[in-house]
């Protein structure tokens, strides 16, 4: 408490209102990817492992194998994370009872009813994604852009079904659900035709997004390349940016693992905000490529959060996490990733943003640089500790023991 008060005073000297920052942090939901809990396996396929342009590495014991385990693990992780949360689901996490299985092109809301009940119990929102990978109908690396009309038809039906499911989830939770479409489509080697697949994808999208749905926010997610699809990605940044720009109500989701290594999403946010009233993000950590390592409090994460805060865009930018590390305790991965995202947001909220902007506009660049550097060592840890205390969440250094115990008592008993 004493440390918090003294830290608060230090921030106040730079014109930063810590109490307001804590309120803003508490009000901003982070959408946590369910797929960290089971290595993107899902429940709808017997083989249940990520394939088709997406892959996990590692075999840490104890991954969740069904709805009860995944929700149990998620609820436990959530108890160690302060603040407002959502859960981000994939269509492959349909919870089918005996004899209820339906393929993805015919999937309905029913198998997601348990997720809605879970979200209500937890007091959290849901986001959704069509699952256009890990499935035999991904043919020669293609889905919505396939030259085969039957393949396209299958995935169009899936994506349409997912929009209806997202709508139903949103209606039942009285909330807006982000329904984000990512497809792997691409080519391993040098294309002979780059335009054909893109025109087919555009046509497929037009058949999917036929009408706005009141509880759905639609987004499309580009990528630069995938494993086995190194030479060409149909849904590139320019492709989807153009689509979103010309189709009101469809938004372009930025995943910070999906650009060239020296291209930064933090620099794209303000550009997008000039044109879009909603900007969904997948916050991840690319290591040399789109490796989806657990999110850490690193420079780019801080810069992304600073852009959201400085541009007054907390109400416009939807923060979703996207990582899947199978080589470490998956619950710890959720806790580390989400807490790091929140810390980065708190860092951004407690920077002397107004002062810095004024210095930039006044061309007082030396002073701006000096203040930026000084602000880096402000006592953020004391503010974060107070936030965890107010939220009834464990402090840094206090949660890991609980995860270790859960690993011993629950995870290691899954054989
Ligand atoms: C893949 C995309 C996509 C997935 C998840 C599982 O490169 O980032 O968002 O990671 O939907
Ligand atoms: Zn992503």
């Amino acid at each position: 408490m004493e440390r918090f008060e003294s830290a608060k005073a230090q921030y106040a000297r730079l014109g930063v209102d810590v109490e307001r920052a804590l309120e803003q942090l508490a009000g901003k939901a982070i959408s946590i990817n369910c797929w960290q809990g089971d290595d993107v396996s899902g429940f709808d396929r017997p083989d249940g492992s990520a394939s088709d342009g997406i892959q996990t590495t590692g075999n840490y014991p104890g991954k969740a194998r069904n709805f009860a385990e995944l929700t149990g693990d998620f609820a436990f992780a959530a108890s160690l994370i302060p603040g407002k949360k959502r859960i981000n689901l994939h269509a492959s996490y349909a919870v089918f009872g005996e004899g209820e299985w339906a393929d993805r092109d015919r999937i309905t809301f029913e198998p997601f009813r348990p997720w809605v009940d879970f979200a209500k119990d937890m007091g959290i929102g849901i986001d959704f994604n069509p699952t256009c990978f890990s499935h035999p109908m991904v043919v020669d690396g293609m889905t919505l852009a396939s030259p085969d009309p039957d393949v396209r038809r299958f995935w169009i039906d899936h994506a349409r079904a997912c929009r209806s499911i997202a709508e139903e989830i949103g209606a039942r939770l009285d909330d807006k659900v982000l329904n984000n479409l990512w497809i792997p489509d691409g080519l391993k080697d040098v294309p002979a035709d780059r335009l054909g697949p893109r025109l087919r994808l555009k046509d497929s999208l037009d058949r999917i997004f036929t009408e706005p749905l009141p509880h759905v926010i639609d987004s499309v997610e580009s990528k630069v390349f995938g494993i086995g699809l190194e030479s060409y990605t149909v849904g590139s940044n320019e492709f989807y940016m153009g689509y979103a720009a010309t189709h009101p109500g469809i938004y372009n989701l930025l995943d910070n693992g999906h650009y060239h290594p020296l291209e930064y999403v933090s620099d794209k946010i303000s550009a997008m905000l000039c044109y879009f009233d909603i900007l969904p993000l997948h916050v991840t950590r690319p290591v040399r490529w789109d490796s989806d390592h657990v999110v850490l409090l690193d420079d780019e994460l801080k810069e992304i959060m600073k852009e959201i805060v400085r541009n007054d865009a907390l109400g416009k930018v939807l923060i979703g996490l996207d990582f899947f590390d199978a080589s470490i305790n998956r619950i710890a991965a959720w806790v580390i990733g989400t807490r790091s995202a929140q810390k980065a947001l708190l860092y951004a909220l407690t920077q002397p943003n107004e002062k810095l902007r004024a210095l930039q506009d006044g061309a007082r660049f030396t002073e701006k640089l000096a203040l930026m550097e000084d602000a880096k060592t402000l006592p953020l840890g004391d503010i974060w500790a107070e936030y965890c205390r107010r939220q009834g969440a464990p402090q840094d250094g206090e949660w890991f023991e609980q995860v270790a115990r859960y690993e011993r008592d629950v995870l290691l008993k899954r054989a």
Side-chain angles (χ1 to χ4, degrees):
M1 221 36 201
E2 230 168 84
R3 292 179 64 131
F4 172 67
E5 290 306 330
S6 112
K8 196 162 109 175
Q10 275 187 67
Y11 280 97
R13 256 173 261 139
L14 292 180
V16 176
D17 182 346
V18 164
E19 291 295 340
R20 185 172 141 72
L22 290 180
E23 264 165 48
Q24 287 180 301
L25 182 62
K28 183 61 182 167
I30 307 282
S31 191
I32 305 174
N33 49 312
C34 82
W35 51 88
Q36 166 61 71
D38 73 337
D39 313 341
V40 211
S41 300
F43 310 143
D44 73 335
R45 307 281 323 156
D47 41 337
S49 70
S51 60
D52 303 313
I54 190 166
Q55 187 177 316
T56 56
T57 54
N59 55 359
Y60 200 83
K63 85 169 187 179
R65 295 161 302 181
N66 51 48
F67 177 72
E69 291 180 355
L70 188 61
T71 47
D73 292 357
F74 186 88
F76 175 58
S79 74
L80 306 177
I81 299 167
K84 223 169 147 180
K85 297 165 271 273
R86 304 173 65 81
I87 186 163
N88 201 359
L89 301 179
H90 252 278
S92 54
Y93 290 83
V95 188
F96 295 116
E98 273 297 300
E100 285 170 12
W101 185 83
D103 208 349
R104 292 192 192 158
D105 59 332
R106 301 167 152 237
I107 197 165
T108 63
F109 167 73
E110 269 325 295
F112 294 96
R113 199 183 282 276
W115 282 112
V116 169
D117 294 340
F118 174 70
K120 280 186 182 161
D121 280 354
M122 298 273 300
I124 63 177
I126 292 181
D127 293 305
F128 203 71
N129 304 260
T131 311
C132 304
F133 52 84
S134 312
H135 192 284
M137 279 302 272
V138 182
V139 179
D140 301 325
M142 296 270 188
T143 65
L144 293 171
S146 170
D148 180 343
D150 292 337
V151 172
R152 291 204 302 280
R153 168 55 51 199
F154 180 91
W155 293 110
I156 289 168
D157 287 347
H158 176 58
R160 292 183 59 88
C162 287
R163 290 190 79 224
S164 307
I165 294 165
E167 172 60 24
E168 188 71 38
I169 293 172
R172 283 168 193 260
L173 294 177
D174 190 23
D175 192 16
K176 287 242 180 189
V177 172
L178 177 70
N179 185 48
N180 174 57
L181 178 71
W182 172 76
I183 60 167
D185 298 38
L187 290 169
K188 183 182 176 84
D189 226 318
V190 191
D193 173 17
R194 287 184 159 92
L195 181 61
R198 288 190 169 132
L199 289 174
R200 290 195 291 269
L201 176 55
K202 178 168 175 282
D203 180 73
S204 294
L205 296 180
D206 289 344
R207 290 168 200 272
I208 293 165
F209 301 117
T210 45
E211 75 285 305
L213 298 173
H215 296 93
V216 175
I217 300 168
D218 286 296
S219 68
V220 283
E221 177 183 4
S222 70
K223 188 153 168 167
V224 65
F225 81 94
I227 289 188
L229 307 158
E230 290 86 358
S231 297
Y232 168 67
T233 292
V234 184
S236 59
N237 179 54
E238 292 71 17
F239 176 86
Y240 282 130
M241 187 82 84
Y243 195 86
T246 51
H247 294 75
I250 315 291
Y251 295 94
N252 189 25
L253 179 145
L254 307 182
D255 178 316
N256 64 304
H258 292 188
Y259 297 88
H260 288 283
L262 287 178
E263 217 185 331
Y264 292 110
V265 159
S266 53
D267 187 58
K268 298 178 188 295
I269 291 172
S270 53
M272 300 286 287
L273 288 173
C274 295
Y275 303 100
F276 295 97
D277 60 339
I278 295 177
L279 173 56
L281 297 184
H282 270 185
V283 173
T284 190
R285 181 164 55 102
V287 178
R288 314 212 178 272
W289 70 290
D290 182 29
S291 59
D292 293 288
H293 280 61
V294 174
V295 165
L296 300 181
L297 183 59
D298 61 16
D299 284 347
E300 173 58 359
L301 182 64
K302 286 190 256 185
E303 204 59 29
I304 286 173
M305 296 302 182
K306 280 195 267 179
E307 285 300 310
I308 299 172
V309 169
R310 288 164 176 167
N311 301 325
D312 206 12
L314 278 168
K316 296 178 182 171
V317 178
L318 310 179
I319 303 176
L321 306 179
D322 185 9
F323 50 80
F324 31 96
D325 190 337
S327 75
I328 59 174
N329 181 298
R330 296 170 184 82
I331 291 165
W334 266 326
V335 178
I336 294 166
T338 313
R339 287 173 69 111
S340 297
Q342 293 170 330
K343 274 183 204 166
L345 183 52
L346 181 62
Y347 175 81
L349 287 163
T350 52
Q351 289 299 291
N353 295 312
E354 286 319 312
K355 270 208 160 79
L356 288 167
R357 190 198 314 270
L359 291 173
Q360 174 176 319
D361 288 346
R364 291 156 67 184
F365 300 133
T366 317
E367 217 176 320
K368 184 200 67 184
L369 206 58
L371 178 58
M372 268 185 177
E373 284 309 282
D374 288 352
K376 284 182 182 171
T377 49
L378 284 167
L380 184 73
D382 294 333
I383 310 295
W384 171 251
E386 173 65 7
Y387 180 67
C388 291
R389 194 191 65 76
R390 290 187 190 180
Q391 290 279 326
Q395 298 293 334
D396 286 359
E398 283 179 1
W399 59 266
F400 187 77
E401 193 39 53
Q402 296 186 54
V403 172
R405 199 175 323 125
Y406 189 91
E407 176 171 310
R408 212 163 48 234
D409 298 346
V410 182
L411 302 181
L412 293 179
K413 299 212 162 116
R414 291 174 189 164

